[in-house]
Amino acid sequence: MPSFRYWDDCVDPEDMKVMWLIPEVNKEWIDAGEKMGEKVHISRDPDGEPYLTQTEMQAIAKITVDRHFNSQLDPNMICALCEIVSDRKLFIEQYEKKLKETRIGIMQVAPETADWLSREMGYRAYEIDINTNVLYRPFVNVYFGAAYIKWLSSCDGKERNEEFVIRAYKGGKKKAMHKSTQIYFQRYMSVKESLTFQRDNETRQLAGAVSNSTTATPGKSGEEWAFWDARVSIEDMETMWNTPEVVREWAKSGERRGRVRFSLDAHKRPYLSRVEVKAIAGIIIDRHFSSRGVKAAALAALAEVTSMRFVNGVRARTGLLGIDYPTALWLYNDRGYRAYKIISVDDLYNPFVSMYFGAAYLAYLAEYEGRQRSYEFIVQAFLGGPENVNLQETGPHWTKFKDTLRFYEDSKKDQGSCSIL
């Protein structure tokens, strides 16, 4: 087990700069006698155990979500979990007898879980090797804890509610609805409500501070969230600039080559306009799927239904088309769709990459199990999983898709056809 005396012992210099830029953290540290440019002491309880203050915990949760899980996770969920699983202590270590695993750090992450998330699920912002001491670092531990929350949110192909996620986080999937984890969820809700009540007034200020501070940080923490050019290849950007409808829209908003901004909603979440979504869908289809007959309008409509056009996805869904890393990797390795490399889950936050693997998955579903499938089957299977398709009823997925398709069809003649392939 490592021994951290200072924040600088367990946090990268760039992360320390971001922490200092957050007003609440800055004030708390200065009030405690810390000075910018010098090492910052980690707080210790009466027993000498290092822990994070609530202000520090909230800042790390918000930074982590903004960087890696924007529009998908609630920072308050992470903060509440840290309160009840570790009391915000950095070096706590517990052995879960029933699960036969040791959990460590502020979010009680098992090394085996972190390794699996990195190796199989593509969460590779931090390297995990045989030296598990890295999991005691607060940013690393919260990253993998958040990744596990996100995975639980859609495990076994089902959208899971908050209660399932929290109870499964504690006792494993099999115990998610067992009486033994019920009291755990009740305690979590009590803590979360308390934290929300305490922080309601300061959250808006902190959110703005984190957003502003992270935009000054290299990598996904800033530039990549804010600008097209940091996520999308030069070739793909050039194709967008050669699309008249996109050029007109970008000209109106004052964009310039090399620095095109994503649109941001009130919560600073990047999203695409319908013009941009349709353009990307058309480019991907023309380049890679023209012989398959996949229609750009249908692909664009699926993007809107899946992610509401948020670049990073919503809730448990990753990226514009909601294609998760294992599915994209399978399409790449086993189905031969290799126009875009897929190395980590972060690649799927590139709207072109997500659209490409979304189109590939759509083409796969069109001939699912060796049979030509109906349009309704394809849509239901894409949005809810092929094993959950029920063609005896007109489900909400199909209805919502038809309603959305009209925004992307080119002519009145095509409207109402719902043609996909």
Side-chain angles (χ1 to χ4, degrees):
M1 185 181 294
S3 177
F4 304 140
R5 183 178 180 185
Y6 302 100
W7 272 81
D8 309 69
D9 297 334
C10 58
V11 173
D12 294 335
E14 289 297 333
D15 290 335
M16 286 301 295
K17 290 179 182 178
V18 174
M19 292 292 285
W20 271 110
L21 287 170
I22 296 170
E24 282 73 20
V25 174
N26 185 297
K27 182 179 185 305
E28 185 172 88
W29 284 356
I30 289 176
D31 288 348
E34 309 296 344
K35 295 180 180 179
M36 192 177 296
E38 297 182 4
K39 289 188 174 183
V40 177
H41 293 81
I42 296 175
S43 300
R44 294 183 179 269
D45 67 11
D47 296 322
E49 289 291 322
Y51 72 95
L52 302 188
T53 67
Q54 287 188 350
T55 299
E56 293 165 341
M57 184 67 251
Q58 186 184 13
I60 289 178
K62 187 68 172 67
I63 291 168
T64 300
V65 168
D66 278 0
R67 287 178 174 175
H68 308 289
F69 306 96
N70 186 287
S71 75
Q72 298 170 316
L73 294 182
D74 177 8
N76 284 334
M77 175 187 282
I78 294 172
C79 291
L81 265 174
C82 289
E83 291 281 345
I84 62 178
V85 300
S86 69
D87 202 22
R88 292 178 273 110
K89 293 180 180 178
L90 291 177
F91 295 147
I92 191 168
E93 187 174 293
Q94 299 182 69
Y95 180 71
E96 292 286 344
K97 188 175 181 180
K98 292 182 179 179
L99 297 175
K100 297 181 180 180
E101 64 183 19
T102 299
R103 296 181 175 184
I104 61 179
I106 199 165
M107 285 198 76
Q108 290 292 278
V109 177
E112 296 83 0
T113 300
D115 179 67
W116 169 74
L117 286 165
S118 175
R119 183 169 32 84
E120 300 291 336
M121 304 304 293
Y123 290 99
R124 295 173 184 162
Y126 299 96
E127 279 191 28
I128 293 292
D129 51 30
I130 56 174
N131 179 13
T132 59
N133 283 348
V134 69
L135 282 175
Y136 290 101
R137 297 166 68 94
F139 276 96
V140 178
N141 198 277
V142 170
Y143 171 73
F144 284 107
Y148 189 51
I149 290 172
K150 182 170 178 283
W151 178 79
L152 285 171
S153 299
S154 61
C155 63
D156 299 329
K158 299 178 181 178
E159 290 283 339
R160 305 291 187 170
N161 61 24
E162 185 175 11
E163 180 173 0
F164 176 94
V165 172
I166 298 303
R167 292 171 70 170
Y169 193 95
K170 171 61 178 176
K173 288 192 301 176
K174 293 181 179 179
K175 296 287 185 180
M177 291 295 110
H178 191 269
K179 62 181 180 180
S180 62
T181 58
Q182 185 175 12
I183 191 170
Y184 180 82
F185 180 68
Q186 291 171 346
R187 186 181 170 212
Y188 160 83
M189 288 302 297
S190 176
V191 171
K192 186 182 178 188
E193 289 170 8
S194 172
L195 292 174
T196 302
F197 177 77
Q198 293 173 23
R199 296 170 181 171
D200 257 351
N201 292 329
E202 64 189 56
T203 295
R204 296 186 192 89
Q205 185 177 357
L206 178 61
V210 170
S211 175
N212 292 335
S213 62
T214 55
T215 54
T217 308
K220 281 194 335 70
S221 54
E223 289 282 301
E224 199 166 347
W225 282 161
F227 297 97
W228 279 77
D229 308 84
R231 299 201 203 194
V232 175
S233 71
I234 295 174
E235 178 189 4
D236 287 338
M237 285 304 296
E238 187 62 30
T239 308
M240 290 292 281
W241 277 110
N242 288 332
T243 305
E245 295 81 4
V246 172
V247 172
R248 282 196 294 270
E249 186 170 88
W250 285 356
K252 286 181 181 178
S253 60
E255 309 305 330
R256 63 182 189 274
R257 288 179 181 269
R259 201 167 176 80
V260 179
R261 296 164 296 178
F262 285 113
S263 299
L264 300 175
D265 73 353
H267 300 287
K268 305 291 184 181
R269 298 176 298 183
Y271 70 92
L272 304 187
S273 70
R274 288 193 173 114
V275 169
E276 292 166 336
V277 169
K278 188 174 181 180
I280 295 174
I283 292 165
I284 291 297
I285 296 301
D286 289 345
R287 281 182 184 168
H288 309 289
F289 297 93
S290 57
S291 64
R292 303 298 298 270
V294 180
K295 292 194 173 182
L299 193 59
L302 278 172
E304 177 147 343
V305 173
T306 301
S307 66
M308 297 188 290
R309 293 183 275 119
F310 283 114
V311 180
N312 303 320
V314 291
R315 298 181 293 278
R317 295 184 179 272
T318 300
L320 194 63
L321 264 292
I323 300 296
D324 60 23
Y325 175 80
T327 300
L329 191 63
W330 170 73
L331 289 165
Y332 183 91
N333 288 331
D334 295 356
R335 305 292 296 186
Y337 291 101
R338 297 180 179 174
Y340 291 89
K341 287 185 178 179
I342 183 76
I343 297 172
S344 77
V345 68
D346 295 338
D347 294 320
L348 293 167
Y349 296 126
N350 177 337
F352 275 86
V353 176
S354 185
M355 190 75 79
Y356 172 75
F357 285 107
Y361 190 53
L362 194 68
Y364 161 74
L365 290 173
E367 299 176 353
Y368 182 68
E369 294 183 338
R371 294 164 50 194
Q372 289 291 330
R373 298 292 183 165
S374 67
Y375 304 144
E376 187 171 351
F377 175 92
I378 296 169
V379 170
Q380 286 196 35
F382 189 97
L383 297 172
E387 68 282 357
N388 299 317
V389 172
N390 181 4
L391 296 178
Q392 304 304 313
E393 302 178 3
T394 300
H397 291 315
W398 177 243
T399 301
K400 191 170 184 180
F401 170 78
K402 289 195 297 181
D403 290 342
T404 306
L405 186 62
R406 62 188 176 86
F407 294 116
Y408 295 98
E409 292 172 322
D410 287 324
S411 66
K412 293 181 179 180
K413 182 177 71 174
D414 292 334
Q415 289 179 10
S417 65
C418 295
S419 179
I420 298 172
L421 299 171

